[in-house]
Amino acid sequence: MYHVAAKISTIEGNREHRREIFDSNVIGTRHLLIAAREADAGRVVVTGSFSAVGYDPSDPSRPSDETMCFFPMEPSMPYERSKSLVEQECWRAAAAYGQEVMVATCCAVVGPADYFPSRLGRTMCDYANGKLRAYVDGGFEFVAARDIVEGHILCMERGRIGEKYIFSSEYKTISEILDLYEEVTGLPRPKRRIPSDAMLAFSTVASAYLSHFHPDFPQRFTPGAIRLLKKCLHANTNKAKTELGFKPTTIRDAMNEAYAFHYGRNSITNSQAKPPRLKQQQVA
């Protein structure tokens, strides 16, 4: 059984929003694990989040591995905290009940079949449609959609009970992601870079206002997202590579696949955006 569902959010939100994240992610995982035990469903692979992996507070860019504990002593998003608690539910099920459960830790996903779309998918479409006029630099770990799917399958086939594995394709700065956007779309990247400290201060005020008065309004540069980007967290994927045989692909390929998908769905309406290098039907 694969448990990949979660309420994803980068905002602090109001009390109701935070309760929804906790109930969906933490209590939902507990109920699923109980149901899997009662149904004798066998192995359960639960999707984790790299934002809930620990890091070195003295050097956040030092590569994080599976042994590093989530650091709750600094501001964090409700989503991050909930995914850390999801892991605790998994370890409790493994230790107390001997349940065959493991965690496949996911980074920021890039790829096709992004129907919702995701935050990254929406950003790509906004870029191609000329709606992205500035950016905040920083960096994060990105994983190709095909790589995180492969990671889940590897966990199911070879993973050890009560363990987690980090799956990432490549670390990229936001500037490098914009370079890839420019490459796939043929459109120039925005020249205005907003200092992250200034954007963090502005977004803190703006997000608090929007979360309270306009909770359904989409927020791109939230305080939580900017804090993550400022840390420039890197991932150590050696455990997945050595134990499971994980072989990551490239974010460039994933970006081409994502662009072909969104272009094929007519989500990119800018006539100046070039046609994709790949055909949409190859990657849908």
Side-chain angles (χ1 to χ4, degrees), residues 160-175:
R160 290 187 287 133
I161 298 171
E163 295 286 338
K164 72 176 177 180
Y165 299 88
I166 298 173
F167 297 99
S168 174
S169 301
E170 293 179 86
Y171 173 86
K172 292 287 186 185
T173 65
I174 297 304
S175 184

Side-chain angles (χ1 to χ4, degrees), residues 9-11 117-124 219-222 225:
S9 173
T10 64
I11 66 173
S118 66
R119 179 179 296 271
L120 277 172
R122 188 167 63 248
T123 300
M124 170 180 274
Q219 301 180 40
R220 178 182 286 120
F221 294 116
T222 65

Side-chain angles (χ1 to χ4, degrees), residues 31-97:
H31 289 167
L32 182 137
L33 291 173
I34 291 172
R37 290 197 300 272
E38 292 176 347
D40 196 21
R43 286 195 157 203
V44 182
V45 178
V46 176
T47 305
S49 171
F50 187 60
S51 64
V53 172
Y55 64 92
D56 183 350
S58 301
D59 181 13
S61 64
R62 172 191 164 199
S64 298
D65 62 26
E66 293 84 353
T67 67
M68 300 174 79
C69 297
F70 177 69
F71 187 65
M73 306 305 177
E74 290 182 350
S76 58
M77 296 178 286
Y79 173 73
E80 296 173 89
R81 299 192 293 271
S82 76
K83 294 301 282 188
S84 177
L85 292 172
V86 163
E87 291 187 7
Q88 299 308 310
E89 291 296 324
C90 294
W91 312 149
R92 186 171 74 90
Y97 304 104

